[in-house]
């Protein structure tokens, strides 16, 4: 019997779904926290997080559409993580939209503005880690959907 048939016949959810789902929720909760604190506490929060005045200015000068892209990215990733735990196939599409939003934010930061220079090498490394994790979570949701684990 295949994995799809086993799962559709009431088989157990693979252990890694819970592991990846919990890790994804915890990781993406950091993004939601950062967004909410940046929007509500503004410069005080950013300074407390170790950002320089130039970095804070870069964030404060972002156009409204970029704030929307940022929100779609972080809330989408968090929502998709919850969907993985709920074993919903929709997780793949939501992760894909979140990843696309993050890539747009990278385009804005590194191609449309001098944000790459302002944010520095540490942010570039952090962005690469975030992109890799979002790509993994997106692939994982796709793979689990194909196996019938997410329905």
């Amino acid at each position: 019997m295949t994995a799809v048939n086993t799962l559709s016949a009431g088989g157990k959810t693979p252990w890694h779904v819970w592991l990846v789902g919990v890790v994804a929720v915890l990781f993406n909760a950091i993004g939601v926290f950062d967004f909410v604190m940046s929007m509500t506490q503004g410069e005080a929060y950013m300074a407390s997080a170790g950002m320089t005045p130039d970095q804070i200015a870069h964030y404060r000068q972002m156009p409204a559409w970029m704030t929307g892209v940022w929100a779609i990215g972080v809330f989408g990733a968090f929502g998709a993580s919850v969907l993985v735990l709920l074993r919903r196939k929709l997780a793949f599409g939501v992760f894909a939209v979140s990843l696309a939003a993050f890539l747009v934010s990278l385009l804005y930061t590194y191609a449309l503005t001098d944000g790459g220079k302002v944010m520095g090498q540490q942010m570039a490394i952090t962005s690469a880690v975030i992109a890799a994790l979002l790509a993994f979570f997106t692939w994982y949701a796709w793979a689990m959907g194909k196996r019938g684990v997410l329905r």
Side-chain angles (χ1 to χ4, degrees):
M1 191 179 274
T2 67
V4 171
N5 291 338
T6 301
L7 289 169
S8 63
K12 291 174 67 174
T13 301
W15 62 270
H16 50 83
V17 170
W18 308 117
L19 175 65
V20 171
V22 168
V23 168
V25 163
L26 294 174
F27 176 76
N28 290 305
I30 295 167
V32 169
F33 175 81
D34 185 58
F35 178 84
V36 169
M37 292 300 291
S38 294
M39 294 298 110
T40 60
Q41 302 294 316
E43 294 178 18
Y45 166 73
M46 292 179 190
S48 73
M51 292 178 73
T52 68
D54 287 343
Q55 291 170 334
I56 293 169
H58 173 74
Y59 269 86
R60 301 314 278 171
Q61 294 168 1
M62 278 192 326
W65 67 266
M66 249 317 290
T67 302
V69 166
W70 184 15
I72 289 167
V74 296
F75 287 102
F78 182 78
S81 302
V82 171
L83 289 169
V84 167
L85 290 175
L86 295 173
R87 292 182 46 215
R88 297 292 180 249
K89 199 178 230 182
L90 182 59
F92 166 68
V94 178
F95 268 130
V97 168
S98 174
L99 177 58
F102 185 69
L103 295 176
V104 167
S105 75
L106 292 179
L107 177 68
Y108 172 81
T109 300
Y110 294 97
L112 301 178
T113 69
D114 64 346
K117 184 175 130 185
V118 172
M119 299 310 287
Q121 184 178 5
Q122 184 60 40
M123 183 54 81
I125 293 168
T126 300
S127 294
V129 169
I130 292 169
L133 284 170
L134 281 175
F136 169 75
F137 294 143
T138 303
W139 167 83
Y140 184 82
W142 173 81
M144 292 301 101
K146 286 290 185 193
R147 285 186 51 199
V149 174
L150 305 182
R151 53 196 191 300

